[in-house]
Structures are given as C-alpha cells and as structure tokens.
Amino acid sequence: MLDVTVIEDPSAAAVSLDPMRARLLAELAAGPASATMLAGRVGLPRQKVNYHLKALERHGLVELAGERRKGNVTERLMRATAASYVISPLALAAVQPDPGRFRDQLSARWLLAVAARLVRDVGTLITGAARARKRLATYALDGEVRFASAADRAAFVEELTRGVSALITKYHDEHAEGGRDHRIVVALHPTVKPDPEPSSTPEAPAPSIGAPEQA
C-alpha cells in the first residue's frame, strides 16, 4: 500500500468523492476486509457494499488482497491501494488553476494556484516514475515560525527572497549539457488552527503583508 497516491482521472475522482465510498476507502486503508465485514461497520447491506467496492476497484482505488472460504462461499478480501488520496487539478483540467495567468506574490489565490500546480506536477511525476520503476528525486522543507510583528514577517520574506534568489543564481546553469530543470516553490502562510471556543469578544484579524487581497 502506498502512503499517498494522486487521482488524475475525473471519473475516479467522482467515485472517491461519494461519501460512502470515501468511508469504505478509509476502512480498507486500515486493513483488508470483505463486503460482509464492511457491511456491519458502515450499516449497509452486503450487496450495496459490493456495488460500491466494484466501482472503487474499476478505478484502481481498491484491489484484491486475498480470498477466504466461509462455509460454501468464497469471500474476496479487498484493501485500499493507498493510505490516503489527493485529487489532482488534472481531474478538472478545463478549469484547473494556472499561476501563469497572473503573478502576485502577496496574493493568497496565486499561492493556491501555485500549490495546485505543485500537486498536479508531482502527481504526474510520481505516476511516471512508478511506471518506469524509478525513484523520483524531490525535497520538501516544512516548518513553522512565529513572527512578533507584521514588520518582522515582511523582513523575513525579503531576506528569504534574497537568499533563495542568490542560490538560484549560484547553481543555475542553463547551458549545462545533460542537466535537468527543477521547479522551486517557497510558500509562507498563516498556520491553520482548530476553531477556537466561542467567545463574546471577536478576535481582531491578523495584519497582512502589503495591500489586502480582494475576495
């Protein structure tokens, strides 16, 4: 079972978004199970569960893990093909975000478009690497920083931009024979926290970098 896989096919995406099928995927990510076993967990007749499992299997979201005899019946044990799934923007190819349409480094929507492209491109690379049975060279840095003020955040962004730009200038060689282009994505956004307890005093919005973005 893969840790995560990317769904690129629109039909597979539609199948995975059905609430009951998503529930079955979650159950099967925890371990193989038969339609009879799943029926008791999700509160559906076995025939209905089988119907959903066949739809998931047709799109490669679940697979046969084995078979077992139970009386005069042979049960199929199914398992999820991944522990989690991500739907690629390719599933909505005609309306997928395009960062090339505009470039505003202080726009949350442009950041979202860049992130969507990242999911799309890395998903495509993973699929190609799996078919070629090759490893994919990637790197990601994830962390958190707490700024004392909006001014500190702006200074951090400026220093980060200078540092990354200097590294790009140092190592980029557009004439390197046999070289391969790589995309660099650096993002900064407020940390998403759980909803706070209801309060009689609303919290003031956090200050933004630059001009506020229009919704």
Side-chain angles (χ1 to χ4, degrees):
M1 178 189 295
L2 300 171
D3 290 332
V4 60
T5 194
V6 180
I7 299 173
E8 298 178 333
D9 178 66
S11 299
V15 166
S16 70
L17 290 173
D18 176 270
M20 180 51 66
R21 291 168 182 170
R23 169 77 185 279
L24 292 173
L25 282 175
E27 292 288 344
L28 293 174
S34 67
T36 301
M37 296 165 63
L38 292 168
R41 298 178 193 173
V42 302
L44 282 183
R46 180 181 59 82
Q47 293 83 355
K48 281 281 189 182
V49 172
N50 257 327
Y51 169 77
H52 289 308
L53 289 178
K54 287 178 180 177
L56 292 168
E57 187 177 13
R58 279 197 303 271
H59 291 91
L61 301 176
V62 302
E63 62 187 4
L64 183 65
E67 295 180 337
R68 70 177 183 181
R69 293 285 299 178
K70 191 172 183 181
N72 295 326
V73 178
T74 300
E75 287 189 329
R76 303 176 79 227
L77 295 173
M78 306 302 294
R79 66 184 173 198
T81 54
S84 57
Y85 300 84
V86 174
I87 296 178
S88 168
L90 286 176
L92 292 169
V95 291
Q96 63 178 308
D98 179 10
R101 290 176 187 156
F102 68 102
R103 183 182 179 88
D104 180 357
Q105 291 177 303
L106 300 182
S107 165
R109 286 172 173 76
W110 186 72
L111 172 58
L112 188 62
V114 171
R117 182 183 61 191
L118 179 66
V119 171
R120 181 198 67 195
D121 290 353
V122 174
T124 299
L125 290 167
I126 288 174
T127 301
R131 288 173 181 166
R133 296 186 177 182
K134 293 183 177 180
R135 291 178 60 86
L136 182 62
T138 61
Y139 167 77
L141 176 65
D142 180 35
E144 288 192 32
V145 56
R146 186 179 183 91
F147 297 112
S149 66
D152 283 354
R153 183 173 56 193
F156 176 88
V157 169
E158 183 179 352
E159 189 172 341
L160 179 65
T161 301
R162 288 200 307 268
V164 173
S165 298
L167 284 172
I168 291 174
T169 300
K170 178 179 179 180
Y171 288 100
H172 177 63
D173 185 352
E174 61 183 66
H175 303 297
E177 188 174 346
R180 181 171 183 178
D181 292 337
H182 286 68
R183 183 175 296 281
I184 301 167
V185 176
V186 178
L188 177 69
H189 62 80
T191 301
V192 177
K193 297 187 180 299
D195 291 335
E197 293 294 328
S199 172
S200 57
T201 305
E203 184 178 350
S208 60
I209 303 176
E213 182 188 359
Q214 298 298 318

